[in-house]
């Protein structure tokens, strides 16, 4: 793929296999601000666009990469629920226990772990009800909407409005991304310490993995699921 730094960063996240791992490693926001150009996303993090382009060009070429844009919305909602949501719930619980243990250690708490735990607690308070809202409301409406169009039956279109729910979820994505950025900054400061125990280092690795999962899940919704669902809903409203 020819890389044009003027194109939206989400285009490469969606179409170039391995690009997400590059963006994650460089700290580029492809999830909530995926509409920005690759160039602007790089400059926002103090990185030159050439650095990003060089990293992307090192990725192996995949002849026939499948895009989520080519699959049904129901497949995507199932993937989000069964893969990302399940993983996120399990990791939030496990990391919370680990942070509680570290922060209550009798030999003292490493610097930045208290604010790190506070940011993680705020993140959990947003994410957990957010996942429930998606599964119990938004995903069900999106799946019903797609089924009605596949059956060519406008009368089967769900009566529940979708636009307000998608807007609320997108706003919550912004709040989640903000807490993730705080956690990332604290995590990187702690990672520079030579006195971290293996237990603390493992916790930081777990936080990095959780961060990557949340970014990818937000990207799949903001850049693919929500726009496609909103387009279907708009067509239904015009019937």
């Amino acid at each position: 793929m020819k890389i044009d730094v003027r194109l939206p960063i989400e285009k490469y996240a969606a179409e170039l296999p391995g690009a997400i791992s590059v963006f994650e490693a460089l700290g580029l926001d492809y999830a909530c601000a995926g509409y920005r150009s690759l160039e602007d996303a790089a400059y926002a993090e103090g990185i030159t666009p050439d650095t990003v382009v060089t990293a992307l060009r090192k990725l192996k070429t995949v002849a026939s990469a499948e895009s989520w844009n080519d699959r049904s919305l129901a497949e995507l909602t199932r993937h989000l629920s069964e893969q990302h949501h399940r993983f996120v719930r399990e990791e939030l619980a496990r990391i919370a226990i680990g942070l509680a243990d570290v922060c209550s250690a009798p030999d003292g708490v490493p610097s930045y772990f208290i604010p790190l735990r506070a940011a993680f607690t705020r993140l959990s308070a947003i994410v957990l009800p957010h996942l429930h809202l998606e599964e119990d409301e938004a995903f069900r409406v999106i799946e019903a909407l797609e089924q009605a169009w596949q059956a060519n039956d406008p009368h089967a279109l769900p009566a529940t409005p979708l636009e307000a729910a998608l807007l609320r979820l997108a706003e919550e994505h912004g709040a989640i991304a903000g807490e993730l950025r705080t956690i990332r900054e604290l995590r990187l400061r702690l990672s520079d310490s030579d006195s971290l125990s293996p237990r603390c280092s493992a916790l930081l690795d777990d936080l990095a993995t959780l961060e990557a999962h949340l970014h990818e899940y937000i990207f799949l919704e903001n850049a693919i699921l929500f726009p496609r669902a909103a387009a279907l809903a708009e067509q239904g409203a015009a019937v």
Side-chain angles (χ1 to χ4, degrees), residues 41-195:
Y43 284 137
E45 300 303 328
I47 301 172
T48 65
D50 285 345
T51 299
V52 184
V53 172
T54 299
L56 291 176
R57 284 178 175 161
K58 290 180 180 179
L59 295 172
K60 293 182 179 179
T61 302
V62 178
S64 58
E66 186 176 21
S67 168
W68 277 110
N69 277 315
D70 302 325
R71 299 170 70 175
S72 71
L73 297 183
E75 285 182 280
L76 181 49
T77 56
R78 283 196 299 271
H79 171 73
L80 289 166
S81 297
E82 296 171 6
Q83 301 295 324
H84 285 283
H85 285 198
R86 182 176 63 180
F87 177 84
V88 167
R89 285 189 175 103
E90 291 173 352
E91 286 301 287
L92 285 175
R94 193 167 67 84
I95 293 173
I97 293 171
L99 285 172
D101 289 345
V102 167
C103 291
S104 60
D107 53 347
V109 182
S111 175
Y112 294 118
F113 259 95
I114 295 297
L116 179 64
R117 185 186 182 190
F120 178 82
T121 300
R122 294 193 301 269
L123 174 70
S124 298
I126 302 170
V127 169
L128 290 173
H130 178 86
L131 300 183
H132 284 297
L133 176 62
E134 287 183 338
E135 293 172 356
D136 295 342
E137 296 185 29
F139 286 2
R140 291 184 181 182
V141 175
I142 290 171
E143 290 166 7
L145 186 63
E146 184 176 56
Q147 287 174 4
W149 281 107
Q150 288 173 341
N152 195 26
D153 184 5
H155 299 292
L157 290 170
T160 305
L162 188 60
E163 183 179 2
L166 296 186
L167 180 59
R168 175 183 169 184
L169 291 172
E171 289 174 348
E172 290 181 358
H173 284 167
I176 292 170
E179 294 299 346
L180 286 175
R181 178 174 286 275
T182 299
I183 289 171
R184 178 185 177 86
E185 291 172 354
L186 294 169
R187 177 174 59 79
L188 292 177
R189 290 179 193 174
L190 282 160
S191 297
D192 291 335
S193 174
D194 297 327
S195 59

